[in-house]
Amino acid sequence: MIIERAEVIVTSPNRNFVTLRLQTDEGHVGLGDATLNGRELSVVSYLKDHVVPLLIGKDAHRIEDTWQFLYRSAYWRRGPVTMAAIGAVDMALWDIKGKAAGMPVYQLLGGASRTGLMAYGHASGVDLQALFDSIREHRELGYRSVRVQTGVPGLKAIYGIAAQSVIDGGLERYDHEPARRGAYPAEEDWDTRSYLHHLPTVFEAVRSEFGPDLPLLHDGHHRMTPIQAAKLGKSLEPYDLFWLEDCTPAENQDALRLVRQHTTTPLAIGEIFNTVWDFQTLISEQLIDYVRAASTHFGGISPLKKVMDFAAQYQIKSGCHGPTDISPVGFAAQLHVGLAIHNFGIQEYMQHGERTNATFQQSMTFENGLLHPGDNPGLGVDLDVDEAGKYPYEQAYLPFNRLADGTVHDW
Ligand code: KDG
Ligand code: MG
């Protein structure tokens, strides 16, 4: 089965998505997600200029060989642009293989290990009342676990509060995530000391309102030093978090060794990691509890399965990155992996907007708090190319942080 055609489709139904569409001589179509939030066109160029010409005429069944060829033959390895491009090829080839076999991808990965994947949603609010409302809304939507993010007194705009995306002076949500359309990133503010004082009081209030059973998560979004993160993990121990995510910047992995020495709060990291090798030390030294890799930015389904099998040796579980900047194709890819592996942990699920769901038709379901990729052959996602054509690319950037004295800080 030969790859005959390869197209890169950019569409912005609620936000920008980059999709690779491969077609074989047998008429099978495979989709891969290559969306890199805020840097989308760099992956379009990598695919169009350097990858697509190498794919035409290749055997579509040779997924592992194609992955290794694209990874090793470039000489320049890793990085989000390269790995998003390779990831899109890998997903599209798994999609094709599933369609050729007449099976959903999870069957090719070993079959289902569970009936569905527990999902967590993003509950947030500028203050406690808004946060409580948001937690209730999420429970009504069927979520059995939630991520908790709140405003911090004295700070105007911080990561993770859904209704704070200010566009043209008005309040608007950009497909439920923080990238904003425009030619320059929006500026947010940050103060770690205020955050460290405030956050334990939030979790104390949430626990006393909602009880001990609801699994609660929190995203530190890379903003603390190791000792600050250690202090936070310790101060949150009474509230029994499911995980504390990205408590320190991802580049310094040794930081987690220090955090680990001080707290039993479970740690999750990896949404900006690109390869299995980025997890080598963290997994083998058992410095984390959950792998946050996303199929899209991690080179696709093949390496995601490999890193999870490696993590399984150490009782480390999955918690794949699932914000709305992972397209329905990338999201489906990680649902198939999550359903098949034994060491599934939890799946982030923010939910795409209506126009996105109309552009990408999905067999996925969300019932009783559990996600399932569906049983359509392949990944279970179809791209309506006419619908996609209605929504041209729009420049959008993620925000950045400054401290009170003007210093740029991790966002
Ligand atoms: O593109 C950046 C977002 O994907 C990121 O800010 C979301 O941290 C995130 C999360 O955990 O979903
Ligand atoms: Mg995160």
Side-chain angles (χ1 to χ4, degrees):
M1 185 168 54
I2 299 301
I3 302 170
E4 236 177 31
R5 221 172 136 196
E7 291 163 90
V8 182
I9 296 163
V10 182
T11 181
S12 192
N14 291 96
R15 48 148 300 105
N16 293 315
F17 293 115
V18 178
T19 309
L20 176 69
R21 187 177 184 276
L22 301 182
Q23 197 168 328
T24 71
D25 57 345
E26 294 177 16
H28 292 301
V29 168
L31 300 178
D33 179 22
T35 308
L36 185 60
N37 201 1
R39 296 290 186 273
E40 296 88 354
L41 299 185
S42 55
V43 192
V44 174
S45 159
Y46 194 100
L47 280 168
K48 279 191 179 168
D49 297 334
H50 304 292
V51 173
V52 162
L54 306 177
L55 293 178
I56 307 301
K58 273 206 170 296
D59 180 353
H61 273 308
R62 298 183 64 182
I63 302 177
E64 182 66 19
D65 182 68
T66 304
W67 194 99
Q68 298 295 345
F69 167 68
L70 292 175
Y71 185 80
R72 291 171 199 279
S73 72
Y75 184 64
W76 309 108
R77 296 176 185 195
R78 306 157 50 132
V81 176
T82 302
M83 299 313 289
I86 296 177
V89 176
D90 183 83
M91 281 180 224
L93 293 179
W94 277 103
D95 195 17
I96 287 172
K97 196 183 276 298
K99 286 171 179 163
M103 286 185 196
V105 167
Y106 76 83
Q107 294 290 13
L108 307 180
L109 298 174
S113 287
R114 58 194 51 79
T115 52
L117 287 74
M118 180 163 83
Y120 73 89
H122 283 200
S124 69
V126 278
D127 54 26
L128 274 184
Q129 210 43 60
L131 173 65
F132 287 1
D133 290 348
S134 174
I135 294 175
R136 287 193 191 96
E137 278 167 29
H138 278 81
R139 294 181 95 183
E140 277 160 28
L141 285 169
Y143 286 98
R144 291 187 203 161
S145 47
V146 287
R147 190 184 89 161
V148 167
Q149 308 288 138
T150 57
V152 172
L155 298 181
K156 287 188 298 294
I158 64 167
Y159 167 77
I161 318 297
Q164 277 193 335
S165 300
V166 180
I167 303 171
D168 297 330
L171 283 176
E172 196 180 314
R173 279 161 70 153
Y174 176 46
D175 202 9
H176 316 281
E177 60 91 34
R180 288 159 206 185
R181 294 189 173 95
Y184 199 80
E187 185 175 321
E188 298 189 344
D189 51 358
W190 185 247
D191 181 70
T192 309
R193 210 174 148 75
S194 309
Y195 166 76
L196 291 181
H197 281 143
H198 185 61
L199 200 66
T201 68
V202 171
F203 275 91
E204 185 180 16
V206 171
R207 276 288 174 229
S208 79
E209 181 75 12
F210 295 95
D213 294 337
L214 182 66
L216 300 174
L217 301 85
H218 179 72
D219 191 346
H221 224 256
H222 323 274
R223 292 167 298 194
M224 283 164 276
T225 64
I227 203 68
Q228 289 168 339
K231 189 173 173 185
L232 180 68
K234 219 169 161 177
S235 65
L236 293 177
E237 277 170 24
Y239 314 112
D240 186 26
L241 264 63
F242 187 96
W243 79 35
L244 172 62
E245 171 186 342
D246 289 344
C247 58
T248 49
E251 296 95 320
N252 178 12
Q253 301 193 359
D254 276 343
L256 293 169
R257 195 172 287 118
L258 188 142
V259 179
R260 197 62 148 179
Q261 279 161 7
H262 291 280
T263 181
T264 55
T265 294
L267 302 176
I269 201 164
E271 67 183 47
I272 68 167
F273 290 4
N274 308 125
T275 70
V276 177
W277 293 280
D278 295 338
F279 281 102
Q280 200 170 24
T281 306
L282 297 183
I283 290 176
S284 61
E285 294 191 23
Q286 306 188 76
L287 302 180
I288 57 170
D289 301 280
Y290 295 92
V291 167
R292 287 278 292 147
S295 55
T296 306
H297 305 129
F298 200 67
I301 290 172
S302 305
L304 192 56
K305 176 76 166 64
K306 287 176 193 174
V307 79
M308 289 321 306
D309 288 343
F310 174 42
Q313 313 308 313
Y314 300 89
Q315 294 167 287
I316 295 170
K317 296 188 175 186
S318 71
C320 288
H321 192 211
T324 47
D325 46 290
I326 301 294
S327 91
V329 178
F331 194 70
Q334 51 204 35
L335 293 190
H336 285 276
V337 175
L339 194 65
I341 57 176
H342 179 249
N343 53 333
F344 169 76
I346 199 166
Q347 175 61 55
E348 180 181 24
Y349 179 41
M350 276 178 85
Q351 307 208 5
H352 289 108
E354 270 174 38
R355 286 200 298 271
T356 298
N357 289 332
T359 306
F360 295 87
Q361 286 118 26
Q362 300 149 63
S363 63
M364 176 196 92
T365 54
F366 179 52
E367 281 163 17
N368 303 320
L370 300 181
L371 289 157
H372 192 286
D375 280 303
N376 288 0
L379 292 174
V381 183
D382 289 319
L383 175 62
D384 183 332
V385 178
D386 294 335
E387 196 64 20
K390 290 184 195 167
Y391 309 112
Y393 167 79
E394 289 187 57
Q395 192 168 41
Y397 285 111
L398 287 161
F400 74 108
N401 269 332
R402 280 193 196 276
L403 306 179
D405 70 357
T407 308
V408 172
H409 190 71
D410 296 291
W411 178 79

